[in-house]
């Protein structure tokens, strides 16, 4: 498979790259895309073979489920069991941006993201190229663009050094602006818990939810 890096900072390159990425995603292949945190490897969230291929490319098992990126606030409502006040508060405060939320998934969805135990991790990235792709393809399963255990890349070239021709389309949107993974908050239980602190601090989340940051850090 021939793989190509598209310079999406150039208008023509962006147009060609998005078209190639949409075509690849719809055909069940993986693509590399820029996000605000780090570069991601993505596939159509509803194509289970494509998600399995994504996990295989990362050399990662289903025990670490793949997050889902969305291109708008509205999209989340069709993916969750219930759009709670807590979810709404976090979405309005931090999306698009570096916060991933773990919520109970809508039971009817025909996807297989790994061993999710009835939940899904959702995020809307603050990255115009990613948003454009997500609005054309729909929800995408996206994980950091690295072989499991290696450093997540902040550039398309860094991703290609790890994946090579295993991925056909690489969208180059320049250096990822944040350069560290998103913060993950699990709001599927009785009280919110931070599973990973990253781009957004516990203090900022606590402020928005009216909670002590130390309460959020308790697992």
């Amino acid at each position: 498979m021939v793989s190509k890096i598209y310079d999406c900072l150039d208008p023509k390159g962006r147009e060609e790259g998005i078209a190639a990425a949409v075509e690849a995603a719809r055909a069940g292949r993986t693509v590399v895309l820029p996000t605000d945190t780090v570069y991601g490897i993505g596939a159509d969230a509803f194509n289970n073979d494509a998600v399995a291929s994504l996990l295989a490319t990362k050399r990662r098992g289903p025990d670490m489920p793949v997050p889902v990126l969305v291109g708008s606030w509205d999209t989340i409502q069709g993916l969750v069991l219930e759009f709670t006040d807590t979810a709404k508060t976090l979405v309005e405060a931090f999306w698009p941006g570096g916060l991933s939320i773990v919520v109970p998934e809508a039971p009817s969805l025909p996807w297989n993201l790994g061993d999710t135990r009835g939940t899904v991790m959702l995020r809307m990235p603050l990255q115009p190229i990613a948003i454009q792709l997500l609005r054309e393809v729909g929800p995408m399963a996206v994980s950091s663009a690295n072989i499991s255990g290696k450093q997540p890349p902040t550039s398309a070239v860094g991703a290609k050094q790890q994946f090579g021709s295993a991925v056909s389309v690489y969208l180059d949107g320049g250096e990822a602006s944040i350069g560290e993974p998103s913060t993950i908050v699990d709001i599927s239980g009785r009280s919110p818990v931070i599973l990973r602190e990253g781009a957004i601090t516990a203090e900022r989340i606590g402020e928005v939810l009216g909670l002590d940051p130390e309460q959020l850090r308790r697992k």
Side-chain angles (χ1 to χ4, degrees), residues 11 24 26 34 41-42 50 72 97 100-101 107-108 122-123 155 160 167 194 198 213:
R26 286 181 180 156
I41 177 172
S72 72
S100 298
I101 57 172
S108 57
L122 298 168
R123 186 167 92 84
S155 70
K160 196 162 193 287
V167 175
I194 291 179

Side-chain angles (χ1 to χ4, degrees), residues 21-22 24-31 33 41-55 65-71 75-76 78-79 105-106 108-114 116 119-123 133-143:
V22 169
R26 286 181 180 156
R29 300 198 302 275
T30 56
V31 301
L33 63 150
I41 177 172
D44 177 352
F46 297 105
N47 185 322
N48 294 340
D49 289 340
V51 175
S53 170
L54 184 158
L55 286 169
V66 187
V68 172
L69 294 191
V70 296
T75 311
I76 183 179
L79 306 178
E105 66 183 4
S108 57
L109 294 174
W111 60 19
N112 180 8
L113 302 166
T116 62
T119 62
V120 61
M121 190 195 304
L122 298 168
R123 186 167 92 84
L133 181 62
L134 290 161
R135 287 186 176 167
E136 292 212 34
V137 173
M140 291 182 72
V142 179
S143 184

Side-chain angles (χ1 to χ4, degrees), residues 87-175:
K88 187 170 184 286
T89 301
L90 290 172
V91 163
E92 289 179 357
F94 298 112
W95 282 15
L99 183 76
S100 298
I101 57 172
V102 176
V103 291
E105 66 183 4
S108 57
L109 294 174
W111 60 19
N112 180 8
L113 302 166
D115 303 334
T116 62
R117 298 184 183 88
T119 62
V120 61
M121 190 195 304
L122 298 168
R123 186 167 92 84
M124 179 182 177
L126 183 58
Q127 216 297 341
I129 296 160
I131 296 276
Q132 188 180 347
L133 181 62
L134 290 161
R135 287 186 176 167
E136 292 212 34
V137 173
M140 291 182 72
V142 179
S143 184
S144 54
N146 58 295
I147 304 287
S148 202
K150 294 195 176 179
Q151 189 68 19
T154 56
S155 70
V157 170
K160 196 162 193 287
Q161 283 168 348
Q162 295 198 42
F163 293 148
S165 60
V167 175
S168 59
V169 177
Y170 292 81
L171 299 181
D172 184 355
E175 195 75 11

Side-chain angles (χ1 to χ4, degrees), residues 168-197:
S168 59
V169 177
Y170 292 81
L171 299 181
D172 184 355
E175 195 75 11
S177 56
I178 296 174
E180 66 175 320
S182 64
T183 294
I184 302 170
V185 179
D186 185 346
I187 57 171
S188 66
R190 281 185 304 180
S191 52
V193 177
I194 291 179
L195 302 182
R196 176 180 75 194
E197 209 167 329

